[in-house]
Amino acid sequence: MTRPEIRIHNLHKSFGGNHVLRGIDLEIGHGEVVCVIGPSGSGKSTLLRCVNLLEEPTGGQVFVGGTELTDPDVDIDAARRRIGMVFQQFNLFPHLSVTENLTLPQRRVLGREKATAARIAAENLARVGLSEKADARPSSLSGGQQQRVAIARALAMGPEVMLFDEPTSALDPELVGDVLAVMRGLAREGMTMMVVTHEMSFAREVADRVVFMDGGVIIEDGAPDRVIGDPQHERTRHFLSRLLDPAMAGVEEKPPGRVGTSER
Ligand SMILES: Nc1ncnc2c1ncn2[C@@H]1O[C@H](COP(=O)(O)OP(=O)(O)OP(=O)(O)O)[C@@H](O)[C@H]1O
Ligand SMILES: [Mg+2]
């Protein structure tokens, strides 16, 4: 691995009595793309949210680019600026144009001049293929276009790492491809990325590593071909089989004799 860009050491997170993250150790190298997969409730979003301190960890350490975010003396706003985050919901301001959605945080958070912010907004809209929508309102865009605007907004802040939490889950199937293409381009440019996703073909093609989480721990961590193609743990196999064929969910719980009995 190249130098670690994200380093997570023995991370724990509880919500009241609910111990959600139970000792996560994970390193992500500079320019590496890591996809995180796992069942609902396994703690994937909580893990991402702990990496940029949207949630405060209960224990353990998180480092981004050598800075310990969990150090009580850290300048958390400065540290957070190094991390871009994209959610399932795009959270664009409906009353602002696409360009204004990109310039506002640059000016408010980074104190950039109007002209500089506008230039950087234009560069990043081009990067996601939406230059022609610069003056449009978000409501006039498709979900996939809105998500690409949200990615451009994060990129305009000049992050060193990008975190994605199921960026395509809210999209109609025909709009998923354009968003994944933008993410594929970012990966090719060498962006360090941590991506929670159910898109197994994307994970196989783009990820350097796939991490399978269940019950707040990492069960498997390895090359996509191994974790998805040849999982070593029963829990991973079970998860993947349900994902590939949701109709199979719970089949093994049916009483013997029911499955496969023919009506002929
Ligand atoms: N802000 C919160 N307050 C209380 N409990 C929370 C909070 N956020 C998450 N949890 C709990 O933490 C557990 C893990 O949730 P998390 O959202 O991280 O799972 P996930 O793996 O992202 O699931 P999904 O695939 O459904 O998005 C769940 O039991 C959830 O109820
Ligand atoms: Mg989640």
Coordinates of all heavy atoms in Angstrom, one line a residue, residues 34-40 42-44 47 166 195-204 207 209-215 217-220 224 227-229 231 235-237 239-240 243:
V34 N -11.8 2.0 -1.8 CA -12.2 0.9 -1.0 C -13.8 0.9 -1.0 O -14.4 1.9 -0.6 CB -11.7 1.0 0.4 CG1 -12.3 -0.1 1.3 CG2 -10.2 0.7 0.4
C35 N -14.4 -0.2 -1.4 CA -15.8 -0.3 -1.3 C -16.2 -1.0 -0.1 O -15.6 -2.1 0.3 CB -16.4 -1.0 -2.5 SG -16.5 0.1 -4.0
V36 N -17.2 -0.5 0.7 CA -17.7 -1.1 1.9 C -19.1 -1.7 1.6 O -19.9 -1.0 1.2 CB -17.7 -0.1 3.0 CG1 -18.2 -0.8 4.3 CG2 -16.4 0.5 3.3
I37 N -19.2 -3.0 1.9 CA -20.5 -3.7 1.6 C -20.9 -4.3 3.0 O -20.1 -4.5 3.9 CB -20.4 -4.7 0.5 CG1 -19.4 -5.8 0.8 CG2 -20.0 -4.0 -0.8 CD1 -19.4 -7.0 -0.2
G38 N -22.2 -4.7 3.0 CA -22.7 -5.3 4.2 C -24.1 -5.1 4.4 O -24.7 -4.2 3.8
P39 N -24.8 -5.9 5.3 CA -26.2 -5.9 5.4 C -26.7 -4.6 6.1 O -25.9 -3.9 6.7 CB -26.6 -7.1 6.3 CG -25.3 -7.6 6.8 CD -24.2 -7.1 6.0
S40 N -27.9 -4.2 5.9 CA -28.5 -3.1 6.6 C -28.3 -3.1 8.1 O -28.5 -4.2 8.7 CB -30.0 -3.0 6.2 OG -30.6 -1.9 6.8
S42 N -25.5 -2.8 9.6 CA -24.2 -3.4 10.0 C -23.2 -2.3 10.5 O -22.1 -2.6 11.0 CB -23.5 -4.2 8.9 OG -23.4 -3.4 7.7
G43 N -23.5 -1.0 10.2 CA -22.7 0.1 10.7 C -21.9 0.8 9.6 O -21.0 1.6 9.9
K44 N -22.3 0.6 8.3 CA -21.5 1.2 7.2 C -21.6 2.7 7.2 O -20.5 3.4 7.1 CB -22.0 0.7 5.9 CG -22.0 -0.9 5.8 CD -22.6 -1.3 4.4 CE -24.1 -0.9 4.2 NZ -25.1 -1.5 5.1
L47 N -19.8 4.2 10.2 CA -18.3 4.2 10.0 C -17.9 5.4 9.1 O -17.0 6.1 9.5 CB -17.9 2.9 9.3 CG -16.4 2.8 8.8 CD1 -15.5 2.9 10.0 CD2 -16.2 1.5 8.1
E166 N -23.8 5.2 -0.4 CA -24.8 4.7 -1.3 C -25.3 5.8 -2.2 O -26.5 6.1 -2.3 CB -26.0 4.1 -0.5 CG -25.6 3.0 0.4 CD -26.8 2.1 0.8 OE1 -27.7 2.0 0.0 OE2 -26.8 1.6 2.0
V195 N -16.3 4.0 -0.4 CA -17.6 4.0 -1.0 C -18.5 2.9 -0.4 O -18.2 1.7 -0.6 CB -17.5 3.7 -2.6 CG1 -18.8 3.8 -3.2 CG2 -16.5 4.7 -3.2
V196 N -19.5 3.3 0.2 CA -20.5 2.3 0.7 C -21.5 2.1 -0.5 O -22.0 3.1 -1.0 CB -21.3 2.8 1.9 CG1 -22.5 1.8 2.2 CG2 -20.4 2.9 3.1
T197 N -21.6 0.9 -1.0 CA -22.4 0.6 -2.2 C -22.9 -0.8 -2.2 O -22.4 -1.7 -1.6 CB -21.5 0.9 -3.4 OG1 -22.4 0.8 -4.6 CG2 -20.4 -0.1 -3.6
H198 N -24.0 -0.9 -3.0 CA -24.6 -2.2 -3.3 C -24.3 -2.6 -4.7 O -24.8 -3.6 -5.2 CB -26.1 -2.3 -3.0 CG -26.4 -2.2 -1.6 ND1 -26.0 -3.1 -0.6 CD2 -27.1 -1.2 -0.9 CE1 -26.4 -2.7 0.6 NE2 -27.1 -1.5 0.4
E199 N -23.5 -1.7 -5.4 CA -23.3 -2.0 -6.8 C -22.0 -2.9 -7.0 O -20.9 -2.4 -7.0 CB -23.0 -0.6 -7.6 CG -24.1 0.4 -7.5 CD -25.2 0.0 -8.4 OE1 -25.1 -0.8 -9.3 OE2 -26.3 0.5 -8.2
M200 N -22.3 -4.2 -7.0 CA -21.2 -5.1 -7.0 C -20.4 -5.1 -8.2 O -19.2 -5.3 -8.2 CB -21.8 -6.6 -6.8 CG -22.3 -6.8 -5.4 SD -21.1 -6.5 -4.1 CE -22.1 -5.4 -3.1
S201 N -21.0 -4.8 -9.4 CA -20.2 -4.7 -10.6 C -19.2 -3.5 -10.5 O -18.1 -3.6 -11.0 CB -21.0 -4.7 -11.8 OG -22.0 -3.6 -11.8
F202 N -19.7 -2.4 -10.0 CA -18.8 -1.3 -9.8 C -17.7 -1.6 -8.9 O -16.5 -1.3 -9.1 CB -19.6 -0.1 -9.2 CG -18.8 1.1 -8.9 CD1 -18.4 2.0 -9.9 CD2 -18.4 1.3 -7.6 CE1 -17.6 3.1 -9.5 CE2 -17.6 2.4 -7.2 CZ -17.2 3.4 -8.2
A203 N -18.0 -2.2 -7.7 CA -17.0 -2.6 -6.8 C -16.0 -3.5 -7.4 O -14.7 -3.4 -7.2 CB -17.6 -3.3 -5.5
R204 N -16.4 -4.5 -8.2 CA -15.5 -5.4 -8.8 C -14.6 -4.7 -9.8 O -13.4 -5.1 -9.9 CB -16.3 -6.5 -9.6 CG -16.5 -7.7 -8.8 CD -16.9 -8.8 -9.7 NE -16.1 -10.0 -9.5 CZ -16.5 -11.2 -9.3 NH1 -17.8 -11.4 -9.3 NH2 -15.7 -12.2 -9.2
A207 N -13.0 -0.9 -7.5 CA -12.4 -0.9 -6.1 C -11.0 -1.6 -6.2 O -10.8 -2.6 -6.9 CB -13.3 -1.6 -5.1
R209 N -9.9 -2.6 -3.1 CA -10.3 -3.5 -2.1 C -11.8 -3.4 -1.8 O -12.4 -2.4 -1.9 CB -9.5 -3.2 -0.8 CG -8.1 -3.8 -0.7 CD -7.3 -3.0 0.2 NE -7.8 -3.0 1.6 CZ -7.6 -2.0 2.4 NH1 -6.9 -0.9 2.1 NH2 -8.1 -2.0 3.6
V210 N -12.3 -4.5 -1.3 CA -13.7 -4.6 -0.8 C -13.7 -5.0 0.6 O -12.9 -6.0 1.0 CB -14.6 -5.5 -1.7 CG1 -15.9 -5.7 -1.0 CG2 -14.7 -5.0 -3.1
V211 N -14.4 -4.3 1.5 CA -14.5 -4.6 2.9 C -15.9 -5.0 3.1 O -16.9 -4.3 2.8 CB -14.2 -3.3 3.7 CG1 -14.6 -3.5 5.2 CG2 -12.7 -3.0 3.6
F212 N -16.1 -6.2 3.7 CA -17.4 -6.7 4.1 C -17.6 -6.5 5.6 O -16.8 -7.0 6.4 CB -17.7 -8.2 3.7 CG -18.9 -8.7 4.3 CD1 -20.2 -8.3 3.8 CD2 -18.9 -9.7 5.3 CE1 -21.4 -8.8 4.3 CE2 -20.1 -10.2 5.8 CZ -21.3 -9.8 5.3
M213 N -18.6 -5.8 6.0 CA -18.9 -5.5 7.4 C -20.2 -6.3 7.8 O -21.2 -6.3 7.0 CB -19.2 -4.0 7.6 CG -18.0 -3.2 7.9 SD -18.5 -1.5 8.2 CE -19.1 -1.6 9.9
D214 N -20.2 -6.7 9.0 CA -21.5 -7.3 9.6 C -21.4 -7.1 11.1 O -20.3 -7.4 11.7 CB -21.6 -8.8 9.2 CG -23.0 -9.3 9.4 OD1 -23.9 -8.5 9.7 OD2 -23.3 -10.5 9.2
G215 N -22.5 -6.7 11.7 CA -22.5 -6.6 13.2 C -21.5 -5.6 13.7 O -21.0 -5.9 14.9
V217 N -18.4 -5.2 12.8 CA -17.0 -5.5 12.7 C -16.7 -5.8 11.2 O -17.6 -6.1 10.4 CB -16.6 -6.8 13.5 CG1 -16.7 -6.5 15.0 CG2 -17.4 -8.0 13.1
I218 N -15.4 -5.8 10.8 CA -15.0 -6.1 9.5 C -14.8 -7.7 9.4 O -14.0 -8.2 10.2 CB -13.7 -5.4 9.0 CG1 -14.1 -3.9 8.9 CG2 -13.2 -6.0 7.7 CD1 -12.9 -3.0 8.5
I219 N -15.6 -8.3 8.6 CA -15.5 -9.8 8.4 C -14.4 -10.1 7.4 O -13.7 -11.1 7.6 CB -16.8 -10.4 8.0 CG1 -17.9 -9.9 9.0 CG2 -16.8 -11.9 8.0 CD1 -18.0 -10.5 10.3
E220 N -14.4 -9.4 6.3 CA -13.4 -9.7 5.2 C -13.0 -8.4 4.6 O -13.7 -7.5 4.5 CB -14.0 -10.6 4.1 CG -14.3 -12.0 4.5 CD -14.5 -12.9 3.3 OE1 -13.6 -13.0 2.5 OE2 -15.6 -13.6 3.3
P224 N -11.3 -7.3 -4.7 CA -12.7 -7.6 -5.1 C -13.0 -9.0 -5.6 O -14.0 -9.6 -5.2 CB -13.0 -6.6 -6.2 CG -12.0 -5.5 -6.1 CD -10.8 -6.1 -5.3
V227 N -13.1 -11.1 -2.3 CA -14.2 -11.0 -1.4 C -15.5 -11.2 -2.0 O -16.4 -11.8 -1.4 CB -14.1 -9.5 -0.7 CG1 -15.3 -9.3 0.2 CG2 -12.8 -9.4 0.1
I228 N -15.7 -10.7 -3.3 CA -17.0 -10.9 -4.0 C -17.0 -12.2 -4.7 O -18.0 -12.9 -4.8 CB -17.3 -9.7 -4.9 CG1 -17.3 -8.4 -4.1 CG2 -18.6 -10.0 -5.7 CD1 -17.5 -7.2 -5.0
G229 N -15.8 -12.5 -5.3 CA -15.8 -13.7 -6.2 C -15.6 -15.0 -5.5 O -16.0 -16.1 -5.9
P231 N -15.6 -15.5 -1.6 CA -15.6 -15.1 -0.1 C -15.2 -16.3 0.8 O -15.6 -17.4 0.5 CB -17.1 -14.7 0.1 CG -17.9 -15.2 -1.0 CD -17.0 -15.4 -2.2
R235 N -20.8 -15.7 6.4 CA -21.6 -14.5 6.5 C -21.5 -13.7 5.2 O -22.5 -13.1 4.7 CB -21.2 -13.6 7.7 CG -21.8 -14.2 9.0 CD -21.0 -13.8 10.1 NE -21.4 -12.5 10.7 CZ -20.9 -11.9 11.8 NH1 -19.9 -12.5 12.4 NH2 -21.3 -10.8 12.2
T236 N -20.3 -13.6 4.6 CA -20.2 -12.9 3.3 C -20.9 -13.6 2.2 O -21.6 -13.0 1.4 CB -18.7 -12.8 3.0 OG1 -17.9 -12.6 4.1 CG2 -18.4 -11.7 1.9
R237 N -20.8 -14.9 2.2 CA -21.5 -15.7 1.1 C -23.0 -15.5 1.2 O -23.6 -15.4 0.2 CB -21.1 -17.2 1.3 CG -19.7 -17.6 0.7 CD -19.6 -19.1 0.6 NE -19.4 -19.7 1.9 CZ -18.2 -20.0 2.4 NH1 -17.1 -19.6 1.7 NH2 -18.1 -20.6 3.5
F239 N -24.6 -13.0 2.6 CA -25.0 -11.7 2.2 C -25.0 -11.5 0.6 O -25.9 -11.0 0.0 CB -24.0 -10.7 2.8 CG -24.1 -9.3 2.2 CD1 -25.2 -8.5 2.6 CD2 -23.2 -8.8 1.3 CE1 -25.3 -7.2 2.1 CE2 -23.3 -7.5 0.8 CZ -24.4 -6.7 1.1
L240 N -24.0 -12.0 0.0 CA -23.8 -11.9 -1.5 C -24.9 -12.7 -2.2 O -25.5 -12.2 -3.2 CB -22.5 -12.4 -1.9 CG -21.3 -11.4 -1.5 CD1 -20.0 -12.1 -1.8 CD2 -21.4 -10.1 -2.3
L243 N -28.0 -10.7 -2.0 CA -27.9 -9.5 -2.9 C -28.1 -9.9 -4.3 O -28.8 -9.1 -5.1 CB -26.5 -8.9 -2.7 CG -26.3 -7.4 -3.0 CD1 -27.2 -6.6 -2.1 CD2 -24.9 -7.1 -2.8

